[in-house]
Amino acid sequence: MATERRRGDRVTFERGIAAFMMGIDGTWRRDCVMEDVSETGAKLTVEGSIEGLHLKEFFLLLSSTGLAYRRCELAWVNGDQIGVNFLKQGDKKKKMTKRGTQAAEA
């Protein structure tokens, strides 16, 4: 029996929604299918291997032109499916501020 890892309401797509994963620096791109989505994250089925990809932070492109996207981080992996958390605009600034404070204290 699968345990739900994500909090909040979720929309499940019967056939999935075609999307793309792309590295923050644009050096890699993978086709994927968005199986479900919530306000805070999504479950993706990835086509091809994710081995060697930098998944700490990447873009989920929801349109072929890249105009609709979300910044993501990897939450979990289960075979060809992955869970992602959506990163908000201020998330990176908060992390940098914490690092800057730690560096100043050192």
Side-chain angles (χ1 to χ4, degrees), residues 39 57 59 69-72 85-97:
E39 186 177 336
E57 191 173 324
F59 290 114
Y69 65 92
R70 294 298 301 260
R71 207 170 98 225
C72 302
N85 294 321
F86 296 142
L87 298 173
K88 295 180 183 158
Q89 190 70 26
D91 288 351
K92 192 169 188 174
K93 290 178 185 173
K94 288 177 189 173
K95 288 179 185 176
M96 291 180 74
T97 302

Side-chain angles (χ1 to χ4, degrees), residues 18-46:
F20 304 96
M21 298 166 50
M22 184 177 76
I24 291 290
D25 59 0
T27 58
W28 60 268
R29 181 171 160 154
R30 291 286 184 279
D31 291 339
C32 66
V33 175
M34 186 167 49
E35 303 292 344
D36 68 39
V37 65
S38 73
E39 186 177 336
T40 59
K43 178 169 64 173
L44 309 175
T45 299
V46 182

Side-chain angles (χ1 to χ4, degrees), residues 2-3 14 16 19 28 32 40 43 47 49-50 52 56 58 69 75-76 97 101-103:
T3 303
E14 189 173 318
W28 60 268
C32 66
T40 59
K43 178 169 64 173
E47 296 182 26
S49 174
I50 61 170
K56 176 140 179 79
F58 61 94
Y69 65 92
W76 54 265
T97 302
T101 303
Q102 291 171 350

